[in-house]
Amino acid sequence: MASQFEPRDPDFKARVAQSFAQQSIMQTIGASLLDVIPGQVEIELPFDQRLTQQDGFIHAGVSATIMDSACGYAALSLMPENARVLSIEFKINLLAPAAGDRFVAVGKVIKPGRSVFVAEAQLFASSRDSRKLVATMGATLMAVIADD
Amino acid sequence: MASQFEPRDPDFKARVAQSFAQQSIMQTIGASLLDVIPGQVEIELPFDQRLTQQDGFIHAGVSATIMDSACGYAALSLMPENARVLSIEFKINLLAPAAGDRFVAVGKVIKPGRSVFVAEAQLFASSRDSRKLVATMGATLMAVIADD
Amino acid sequence: MASQFEPRDPDFKARVAQSFAQQSIMQTIGASLLDVIPGQVEIELPFDQRLTQQDGFIHAGVSATIMDSACGYAALSLMPENARVLSIEFKINLLAPAAGDRFVAVGKVIKPGRSVFVAEAQLFASSRDSRKLVATMGATLMAVIADD
Amino acid sequence: MASQFEPRDPDFKARVAQSFAQQSIMQTIGASLLDVIPGQVEIELPFDQRLTQQDGFIHAGVSATIMDSACGYAALSLMPENARVLSIEFKINLLAPAAGDRFVAVGKVIKPGRSVFVAEAQLFASSRDSRKLVATMGATLMAVIADD
C-alpha cells in the first residue's frame, strides 16, 4: 500500500509496534498488529467466545477497542519521535452484528495536525467466503509532546 | 434511588441480570452489575493490569465496553418483555486518564421511545480517597421486538 | 455517477427535490440541491457573510445544516414512497476553517436499513484554484412510515 | 446561578458578548445571548418559519448552530484573555422535533483543560405552557492562544 503522508519519524513502525506491545488489553483479547504504513494501521482480532455480548456477537466495546487503537496508532505513525498519543473522543456506528471468524480494524488519519489529529476506522468481519463492513468510527486524537 | 420512569415489564431487574450474565465479555474483564432501577444501570469494574493501554491506564475501549452495556441495560430496563436491545451508535469523550482502583459506569435513559432510546453514561474512577469523572458517553439504542 | 443502490421508489429524485424545496432554511442560507442519485446527495452553498462566525468563516452549525440535509436526503432517496426521514443523531469533525467561495456537502448512505439508515457526509470548500475537505459527518437517520 | 469555575479573565462576560456580536449568523437567525456565567452560557432563539425543515420544525442544523455557540462560549468564558475558541467536533442527539415558540440552548463546560475543553449542551423548546428537552450535544473545543 502507498501512503499519502510523509512520516516525521523514520522509525514510526517500530515505535507503533513497541507501544502496541505495551497495551496489555491487546494480548488479553487476542488482537495483533497487522500492518503499519504512514497514517494507516490495521489490527486483527480472531473471534473469541470470551469477548461476546448476550447474542454471541463480539461486544461493541471490543470492536471499539481495536478501532480506537487503530486510529491512535495511525495518528502516532505521523507524530514526531518524542510524542505520545491520547484519544480525546470517538464515535462508533454499528452497522451490523459483529459476526464472523476474524475482524480487521483499519484506522486512517484524515487530518493530521500539530497537536490534534482526526482519524477514521472501519471494522470488517470475515468468514470463509465473505467480508463485510460492520462498524465505522470517527476519532479525535492528541499528540502529547514529552517536553510539554 | 428513585426513578422517573415506569417499567413496562415488572421483571425488568431479572431480565437485565440474565442478559448481563450472558455477556461473556463482562466475566472476561471482571465487570459486575451493581444496580438496576428503571432507566438507570450501574456496572462496576475493578482495575486490572490486563485491561490497560500503553501508559498503564484502562483502555478507552474497555471504558466504552462497560459504558455501552450500562446504556444498553438502562434502555432494556424500560422495554417490554419480548424486546431485545441493540446499540446503534455511541460516542465517548475521554476527560481524564482512567486511573484508579475501581470504575463505575452509570448509564441513564434520557429519552425512551417506541423503538429508539437515547441514553447517556458517565464513568467514575475511584481510588482510596477520591472519585473522579473520567469519561462521558452519548448512545442510541434500539428495541428489537421478537415478533418483528 | 453510478450508484451501488437500487431505489425503491422510481420517483426518488422528484421526492427529494420536493422535500428540499420545503426546507425554508435552505432558501434562508442560499443552499441549493446539486445532485441526487440513489443513496447520494450533494448540496451547494455559496459563501455568504451573513452565515459567518466571529472569525469570518462559515459557522460550524451552517456546515452541519447542509451536511445533515445531504445525509437525510441520501437516506430518503432509498426509502419507499410513503416514508419520511428523521435525523436521530449526527457528529461532525471540523478539520479546517470553512473558508472559500463555495461549499459542497456530499452525503452518502453507508448502510440502508428497514427503519435505521447510517450515512456519512463530507464538506468541501472551493475557491478559485483549490478544493479542500473541511468537515466530515457521521449520521443516523430513521424512516418513518406514514401508516405507522 | 452559581458557577463551580473560577474565570481566568475577569472580563469574560464582555469578551463573550463581543465575540457573539461578531457571529453574523446569530443575527441572521435571530439568536441572542441570554446569560453568561463562568463555564456556562445560554443562547435564545425565537421560532422563525425561515429556519424550518420540511415538516415545519426548526432544522437540526439550526439547533446545532446555537448549541455549538453555547458550548464554545461556555469554554471561552474560562479561557485566558488572549485565547480564541475553536470547535473540534460535536455530536447532537435529536430527542424530539424542535417545535415551540422559543428555544434555549444551555452550554456547560464539563472538563476545562489547558488547550482542550469538553462541553455539553441541552436544547429546550418552550411554548406557552411547557418546556421540553429536545436535543443534547457533546462537544470538544480548543483554546488557540494568540502568541502560538
Side-chain angles (χ1 to χ4, degrees):
Chain A
M1 275 184 294
S3 166
Q4 57 171 125
F5 297 113
E6 193 64 44
R8 288 204 240 170
D9 171 14
D11 283 338
F12 69 92
K13 269 198 193 198
R15 204 152 44 91
V16 166
Q18 188 182 8
S19 180
F20 185 91
Q22 288 168 353
Q23 291 204 328
S24 302
I25 182 67
M26 293 300 148
Q27 292 136 60
T28 301
I29 62 176
S32 57
L33 196 60
L34 263 198
D35 202 12
V36 180
I37 64 170
Q40 182 170 329
V41 164
E42 293 189 18
I43 295 174
E44 182 184 40
L45 178 76
F47 178 83
D48 186 331
Q49 196 275 331
R50 292 179 315 121
L51 309 178
T52 54
Q53 38 83 288
Q54 71 281 5
D55 298 314
F57 306 123
I58 296 295
H59 192 284
V62 175
S63 298
T65 300
I66 61 171
M67 294 172 87
D68 174 46
S69 281
C71 286
Y73 288 130
L76 186 64
S77 74
L78 299 180
M79 292 182 188
E81 198 189 336
N82 59 339
R84 289 184 311 120
V85 62
L86 215 68
S87 294
I88 294 178
E89 61 83 27
F90 59 77
K91 183 209 177 196
I92 186 168
N93 267 283
L94 305 155
L95 309 181
D101 299 331
R102 176 179 170 268
F103 302 87
V104 175
V106 182
K108 290 180 197 182
V109 171
I110 60 165
K111 178 65 170 54
R114 207 179 47 150
S115 61
V116 175
F117 287 68
V118 180
E120 290 181 356
Q122 296 185 299
L123 184 71
F124 296 96
S126 308
S127 48
R128 207 157 324 173
D129 45 8
S130 72
R131 183 170 186 262
K132 192 179 178 180
L133 178 66
V134 295
T136 57
M137 175 178 282
T140 308
L141 300 306
M142 199 169 184
V144 182
I145 307 296
D147 318 357
D148 265 19
Chain B
M1 275 182 296
S3 167
Q4 56 171 128
F5 297 113
E6 194 64 42
R8 289 204 238 169
D9 171 14
D11 282 339
F12 68 92
K13 269 198 193 197
R15 204 153 43 91
V16 166
Q18 188 182 7
S19 180
F20 185 90
Q22 289 167 353
Q23 292 204 328
S24 303
I25 182 68
M26 293 301 149
Q27 291 136 61
T28 301
I29 63 176
S32 56
L33 196 58
L34 263 197
D35 203 12
V36 181
I37 63 170
Q40 182 171 328
V41 165
E42 293 188 18
I43 295 175
E44 181 183 40
L45 179 75
F47 178 84
D48 186 331
Q49 195 275 332
R50 293 178 316 119
L51 308 177
T52 55
Q53 38 83 288
Q54 70 281 5
D55 298 315
F57 306 123
I58 295 296
H59 192 285
V62 176
S63 298
T65 301
I66 59 170
M67 295 172 87
D68 175 45
S69 281
C71 286
Y73 288 128
L76 186 64
S77 73
L78 299 180
M79 292 181 187
E81 198 189 338
N82 59 340
R84 289 184 311 119
V85 62
L86 216 68
S87 294
I88 294 179
E89 61 84 25
F90 59 77
K91 183 209 177 195
I92 186 168
N93 266 284
L94 304 156
L95 309 180
D101 299 330
R102 175 180 172 269
F103 303 86
V104 176
V106 182
K108 292 181 196 182
V109 171
I110 60 166
K111 178 66 171 53
R114 205 180 49 149
S115 61
V116 175
F117 287 68
V118 180
E120 290 180 354
Q122 296 184 299
L123 185 70
F124 297 96
S126 307
S127 48
R128 205 158 325 177
D129 45 8
S130 71
R131 185 171 185 262
K132 192 180 178 179
L133 178 66
V134 295
T136 57
M137 176 179 281
T140 309
L141 299 305
M142 199 168 183
V144 182
I145 306 295
D147 317 358
D148 265 18
Chain C
M1 274 182 295
S3 168
Q4 57 171 127
F5 297 112
E6 194 63 45
R8 289 204 238 170
D9 171 14
D11 283 338
F12 68 93
K13 269 198 193 198
R15 204 153 43 91
V16 166
Q18 188 182 7
S19 180
F20 185 90
Q22 289 168 352
Q23 292 204 329
S24 303
I25 182 67
M26 293 300 149
Q27 291 136 60
T28 301
I29 63 175
S32 56
L33 196 58
L34 263 198
D35 202 12
V36 181
I37 63 170
Q40 182 172 327
V41 165
E42 294 188 17
I43 295 175
E44 182 185 38
L45 179 76
F47 178 83
D48 187 331
Q49 195 274 331
R50 293 179 314 120
L51 308 177
T52 55
Q53 37 84 289
Q54 70 282 5
D55 298 315
F57 306 123
I58 295 296
H59 192 285
V62 175
S63 299
T65 301
I66 59 170
M67 294 172 87
D68 175 45
S69 282
C71 286
Y73 288 127
L76 186 65
S77 73
L78 300 180
M79 292 181 188
E81 199 189 335
N82 59 340
R84 288 184 312 120
V85 61
L86 216 69
S87 294
I88 294 180
E89 60 84 25
F90 59 78
K91 183 209 176 193
I92 187 168
N93 266 283
L94 304 156
L95 309 180
D101 299 330
R102 177 180 170 267
F103 303 87
V104 176
V106 183
K108 291 181 197 183
V109 170
I110 60 166
K111 178 66 170 54
R114 205 180 48 149
S115 61
V116 175
F117 287 68
V118 180
E120 290 180 354
Q122 296 185 299
L123 184 70
F124 296 96
S126 307
S127 47
R128 207 158 323 177
D129 45 7
S130 72
R131 185 172 186 260
K132 192 180 177 180
L133 178 66
V134 295
T136 57
M137 176 178 282
T140 309
L141 298 306
M142 199 167 184
V144 182
I145 307 296
D147 317 357
D148 264 20
Chain D
M1 277 183 295
S3 166
Q4 58 172 126
F5 296 114
E6 193 64 44
R8 288 204 240 169
D9 171 13
D11 283 339
F12 69 92
K13 269 198 193 198
R15 204 151 46 90
V16 166
Q18 187 181 8
S19 180
F20 185 90
Q22 289 168 352
Q23 292 204 328
S24 303
I25 182 68
M26 294 301 149
Q27 292 137 60
T28 301
I29 63 175
S32 56
L33 195 59
L34 263 197
D35 202 13
V36 181
I37 63 169
Q40 182 172 327
V41 164
E42 294 188 18
I43 295 174
E44 182 184 39
L45 179 76
F47 177 84
D48 186 331
Q49 196 274 333
R50 292 179 314 121
L51 309 178
T52 55
Q53 38 83 289
Q54 70 281 5
D55 298 315
F57 306 123
I58 295 295
H59 192 285
V62 175
S63 299
T65 301
I66 59 170
M67 294 172 87
D68 174 46
S69 282
C71 286
Y73 288 129
L76 185 65
S77 74
L78 299 179
M79 292 181 188
E81 197 190 336
N82 58 340
R84 289 184 311 122
V85 62
L86 216 67
S87 293
I88 293 178
E89 61 82 28
F90 59 77
K91 184 210 177 194
I92 186 168
N93 266 283
L94 305 155
L95 309 180
D101 299 331
R102 177 179 170 267
F103 303 87
V104 176
V106 182
K108 291 180 196 182
V109 171
I110 61 165
K111 178 66 170 54
R114 206 181 47 151
S115 61
V116 175
F117 287 68
V118 180
E120 289 180 355
Q122 296 184 301
L123 185 70
F124 297 96
S126 307
S127 48
R128 207 157 324 175
D129 45 8
S130 72
R131 183 171 187 261
K132 193 179 176 181
L133 178 67
V134 295
T136 57
M137 176 178 281
T140 308
L141 299 306
M142 199 168 183
V144 182
I145 305 295
D147 318 357
D148 265 19

